[in-house]
């Protein structure tokens, strides 16, 4: 066996670094969309590998739904501060007020759709021409077909029929004024790859990824975090205390917890390896509405 | 553990989706909720049987028409290897999608329906696999259950395919008889075909030798970005960020910067402040040169002992990917790695018939999905290797200057006279 061989994690890492550097090389005003979740934390780590000892050629941008876990927000601030990198936060709350948007109400209402407005406004405000995101193709069927460089029109829309061919490792980021590109450096990573990488690289994560005691709402067999003003309680809801962890750290209103004893990275990975339910199905409440839910949101400018 | 990217190609209804579904299902890569979604969707169909093919149908319009339009990527792993399945549509109308999918693959699985044998689509899919330089090819002869698992049928198809392979420059070819629907020779060896002595598809995919696929002789490093912190303590720091696309670089190596031709030696190789004595493809690193030479994005750093071709006249195979036709005289932007230059089409040498492999000369223009040999004249010299020697440094794209869309895939061949 030849010694000049890269392990798969090194291959994925190198591919992601290459993509980030293409963004730096091809765009005037890129941004890294940072959600506080493990995927975007992994992106930040990859950016360190791509650009240190230099500064990041882009700010970290967070679209705050107002429904985020406090632990994730604290972690976000700490990370940006300790790296000395620029953080821009824009609030869905402000968009709702300024645009007099109607908030979805009722069962499992979430601000996921409204987030798109704030994102598009932020892109316009800073004239971002490329936004790096942590989406993976294994998450969902429509994503499985999206390119690494995904060109969006002025309205942020994705047209699955008009995707640019993407060959070898050549990325074509040429766009017209007003258009922008969403870039997904970890497209080819699976959830398990991300976890294994986090472990190998010893990357710090917000505490909610690990098992902890918490008060929760039990609804339709799913465990939701309690949050004042975010989740309306219903008659059939049961208040329970359980030891849980979160597999994704999205909007509180649509992120369910899983019961777990995994309080270390090793234990969390072991659980993920054993689990027979995919990440989105287990914890994202908003994707189950319809088969084509994600595709429709993307066409409307969602990430 | 290593990683294998492979593409699957076949005509509509050859059983590609079923095969992929079977690989994912039998390797236990389908998770419970995904299975439930498939069961739900299967019920809303007429027959009500669980349809493994539904796993791979992504977009709504595709689900409605029941065909695969764009390239979809699937991921699974076994204890031996990680796999990325590049699921490309088979119809001629989607040749460009298959070319896109094939460009990064080390292996292609070409499906053949045992009842129909080698058909026009098989010839086209094999041509694309060969043109894109995919080193390993599996001819998966599917639906063996519908031909009574007959060895004769299998052998005849192998003989027939072998004739075709002779005309193409295909890499290593392996033939596997299978039934995707019943699972014969997909993951488990088939009891229905005791005459078949080879491995089932999955074991072949797990063990096929990939070591020799990477070009480790010609060291190439396209510069993506220059890192210059310009802080007090790193005042003179100047690092060239990029990914080694082929070969090995070592500290102290003599290198040439192209297309300028300036020379220097490698002073240091690092990545995020960790230093290496050597680095090889496909690592992303930062190179430091001993001399103060002029290097920026778009330059190619190569080891001076093996120089690529540097020329403004390039002969290439082209897959045309736009609905606007390509004509001699048209101008485009050419992108080769990180390097961009304007170019003009000097000549269409011949168009290749993708089914018969005949070369047709005196062609006026090329349509969407046409494949041709062309000659380009570039504004600045391109530093490339022949595609069959070096897939990454031999590949390039054409970009339309008004729409900015990628309109052509180029396999660069040689300097044109
Ligand atoms: N009898 C038999 N039918 C098969 C086999 N593989 C696929 N099929 C059927 O052939 C049809 C087309 O298969 P599908 O996977 O959708 O083909 P695709 O268009 O290549 O993706 C479906 O009805 C499958 O059930 C096989 O090995 N044997």
């Amino acid at each position: 066996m030849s010694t000049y061989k890269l392990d798969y994690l090194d291959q994925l890492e190198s591919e992601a670094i290459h993509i980030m550097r293409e963004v730096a090389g091809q765009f005037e005003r890129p941004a890294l969309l940072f959600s506080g979740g493990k995927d975007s934390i992994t992106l930040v780590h990859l950016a360190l590998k791509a650009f240190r000892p230099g500064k990041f050629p882009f700010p970290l941008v967070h679209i705050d739904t107002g429904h985020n876990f406090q632990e994730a927000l604290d972690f976000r601030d700490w990370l940006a501060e300790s790296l000395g990198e620029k953080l821009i936060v824009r609030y869905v709350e402000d968009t709702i007020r300024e645009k007099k948007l109607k908030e979805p109400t009722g069962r499992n209402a979430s601000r996921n759709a409204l987030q798109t407005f704030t994102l598009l406004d932020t892109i316009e405000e800073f004239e971002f021409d490329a936004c790096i995101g942590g989406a993976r193709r294994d998450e969902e069927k429509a994503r499985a077909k999206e390119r690494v460089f995904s060109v969006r029109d002025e309205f942020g829309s994705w047209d699955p029929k008009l995707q640019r061919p993407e060959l070898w490792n050549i990325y074509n980021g040429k766009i017209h004024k007003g258009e922008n590109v969403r870039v997904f450096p970890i497209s080819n990573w699976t959830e398990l790859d991300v976890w294994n990488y986090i472990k190998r690289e010893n990357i710090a994560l917000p505490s909610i990824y690990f098992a902890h005691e918490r008060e929760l709402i039990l609804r339709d067999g799913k465990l939701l975090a309690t949050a004042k003003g975010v989740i309306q309680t219903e008659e059939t809801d049961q208040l329970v205390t359980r030891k849980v962890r979160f597999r994704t750290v999205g909007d509180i209103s649509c992120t369910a917890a899983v019961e777990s004893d995994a309080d270390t990275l090793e234990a969390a990975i072991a659980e993920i390896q054993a689990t027979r339910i995919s990440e989105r199905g287990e914890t994202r409440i908003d994707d189950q509405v319809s088969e084509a839910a994600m595709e429709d949101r993307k066409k409307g400018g969602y990430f | 553990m290593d990683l294998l990217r492979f593409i699957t190609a076949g005509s509509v209804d050859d059983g590609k989706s079923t095969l992929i579904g079977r690989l994912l299902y039998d390797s236990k890569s389908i998770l419970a909720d995904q299975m439930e979604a498939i069961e739900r969707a299967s019920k809303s169909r007429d027959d009500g049987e669980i349809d493994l093919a539904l796993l791979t149908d992504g977009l709504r319009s595709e689900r409605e028409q029941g065909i695969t339009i764009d390239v979809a990527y699937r991921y699974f792993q076994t204890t031996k290897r990680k796999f990325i399945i590049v699921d490309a549509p088979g119809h001629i109308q989607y040749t460009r999608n298959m070319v896109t999918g094939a460009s990064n693959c080390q292996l292609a699985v070409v499906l053949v329906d045992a009842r129909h044998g080698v058909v026009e689509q098989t010839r086209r899919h094999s041509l694309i696999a060969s043109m894109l330089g995919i080193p390993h090819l599996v001819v998966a002869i599917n639906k063996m259950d519908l031909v009574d698992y007959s060895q004769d049928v299998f052998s005849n198809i192998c003989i027939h395919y072998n004739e075709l392979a002779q005309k193409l420059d295909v890499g290593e070819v392996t033939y596997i008889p299978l039934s995707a629907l019943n699972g014969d020779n997909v993951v488990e060896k088939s009891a229905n075909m005791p005459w078949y002595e080879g491995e089932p598809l999955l074991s072949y995919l797990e063990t096929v030798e990939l070591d020799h696929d990477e070009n480790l002789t010609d060291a190439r490093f396209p510069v993506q970005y220059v890192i210059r912190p310009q802080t007090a303590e790193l005042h003179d720091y100047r690092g060239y960020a990029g990914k080694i696309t082929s070969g090995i670089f070592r500290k102290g190596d003599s290198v040439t910067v192209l297309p300028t031709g300036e020379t220097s030696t490698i002073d240091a190789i690092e990545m995020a402040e960790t230093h290496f004595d050597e680095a090889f493809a496909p690592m992303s690193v930062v190179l430091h040169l001993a001399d103060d030479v002029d290097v920026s994005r778009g330059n190619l750093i190569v080891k001076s002992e093996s120089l690529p071709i540097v020329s403004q006249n390039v002969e290439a195979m082209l897959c045309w990917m736009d609905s606007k036709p390509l004509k001699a005289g048209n101008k485009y932007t050419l992108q080769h790695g990180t390097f961009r230059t304007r170019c003009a089409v000097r000549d269409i040498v011949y168009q290749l018939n993708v089914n018969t492999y005949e070369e047709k000369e005196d062609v006026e223009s090329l349509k969407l999905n046409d494949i041709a040999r062309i000659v380009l004249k570039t504004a600045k010299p391109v530093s490339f290797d022949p595609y069959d020697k070096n897939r990454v440094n031999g590949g390039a794209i054409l970009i339309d200057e008004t729409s900015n869309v990628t309109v052509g895939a180029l396999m660069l061949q040689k300097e044109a006279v």
Side-chain angles (χ1 to χ4, degrees), chain A residues 149-216:
Chain A
F149 270 40
S150 181
V151 179
R152 305 296 178 94
D153 63 17
E154 291 129 279
F155 312 103
S157 311
W158 179 54
D159 186 345
K161 289 231 177 63
L162 286 180
Q163 299 207 84
R164 292 180 178 178
E166 203 160 74
L167 295 118
W168 302 289
N169 59 4
I170 303 176
Y171 299 100
N172 171 9
K174 272 175 93 94
I175 49 171
H176 294 114
K177 216 176 154 43
E179 292 176 334
N180 64 84
V181 180
R182 308 284 166 86
V183 180
F184 306 113
I186 57 170
S187 283
N188 285 323
W189 299 40
T190 63
E191 188 195 9
L192 198 56
D193 296 337
V194 174
W195 282 111
N196 282 328
Y197 187 71
I198 288 170
K199 181 169 121 192
R200 188 185 85 172
E201 301 286 311
N202 207 1
I203 300 173
L205 290 182
S207 55
I208 43 176
Y209 277 111
F210 305 104
H212 56 288
E213 292 262 335
R214 195 182 188 101
E215 183 168 272
L216 300 130

Side-chain angles (χ1 to χ4, degrees), chain B residues 32-265:
Chain B
D33 61 329
Q34 291 171 337
M35 204 62 218
E36 263 167 42
I38 293 166
E39 280 166 14
R40 260 202 313 274
S42 300
K43 281 197 193 101
S44 63
R45 292 199 168 192
D46 299 339
D47 53 13
E49 290 246 333
I50 288 203
D51 188 352
L52 287 178
L54 283 176
L55 273 174
T56 56
D57 287 344
L59 303 168
R60 173 179 281 183
S61 51
E62 298 178 341
R63 273 195 302 280
E64 280 159 7
Q65 296 167 50
I67 51 161
T68 317
I69 298 178
D70 211 328
V71 186
Y73 298 84
R74 305 280 149 204
Y75 304 83
F76 75 105
Q77 88 182 84
T78 66
T79 50
K80 303 214 175 72
R81 222 170 227 166
K82 285 200 53 104
F83 298 95
I84 301 179
I85 307 179
V86 178
D87 179 12
H91 197 272
I92 185 152
Q93 175 185 358
Y94 304 117
T95 297
R96 66 172 189 158
N97 305 67
M98 182 176 167
V99 169
T100 294
S103 66
N104 283 320
C105 288
Q106 296 132 291
L107 182 147
V109 176
V110 175
L111 266 113
V112 173
D113 185 323
R115 296 169 304 171
H116 308 142
V118 174
V119 295
E120 217 172 77
Q121 308 261 26
T122 321
R123 304 174 65 86
R124 188 164 43 79
H125 297 155
S126 306
L127 172 72
I128 293 171
S130 126
M131 194 172 68
L132 272 292
I134 297 179
H136 312 273
L137 204 131
V138 176
V139 182
I141 299 164
N142 189 31
K143 306 199 184 182
M144 287 300 291
D145 54 309
L146 298 180
V147 295
D148 296 328
Y149 298 105
S150 154
Q151 181 172 13
D152 283 349
V153 171
F154 174 75
S155 307
N156 279 331
I157 295 174
C158 296
I159 292 168
H160 197 163
Y161 189 90
N162 198 40
E163 283 166 20
L164 168 166
Q166 299 301 318
K167 291 189 207 150
L168 293 172
D169 186 17
V170 290
E172 174 197 43
V173 184
T174 305
Y175 300 92
I176 304 179
L178 46 85
S179 166
L181 192 66
N182 302 333
D184 294 84
N185 285 338
V186 179
V187 173
E188 303 292 340
K189 210 164 154 48
S190 167
N192 293 314
M193 293 176 272
W195 47 263
Y196 172 68
E197 284 165 4
E199 299 168 277
L201 179 63
L202 184 64
S203 358
Y204 176 74
L205 296 175
E206 284 180 327
T207 52
V208 56
E209 177 76 57
L210 304 173
D211 280 4
H212 308 298
D213 297 349
E214 199 84 53
N215 176 334
L216 289 173
T217 39
D218 308 301
R220 307 284 181 254
F221 182 86
V223 176
Q224 294 186 272
Y225 185 76
V226 181
I227 298 178
R228 297 198 61 190
Q230 290 174 307
T231 53
E233 68 270 33
L234 291 166
H235 189 73
D236 294 323
Y237 184 102
R238 194 178 167 85
Y240 305 114
K243 179 169 161 180
I244 301 172
T245 51
S246 58
I248 305 162
F249 285 94
R250 295 190 180 87
K251 248 174 91 169
D253 278 346
S254 306
V255 294
T256 304
V257 180
L258 295 170
T260 57
E262 287 192 84
T263 56
S264 184
T265 50

Side-chain angles (χ1 to χ4, degrees), chain B residues 265-276:
Chain B
T265 50
I266 294 183
D267 204 21
I269 304 173
E270 66 161 331
M271 152 102 122
E273 297 163 273
T274 305
H275 285 255
F276 303 97

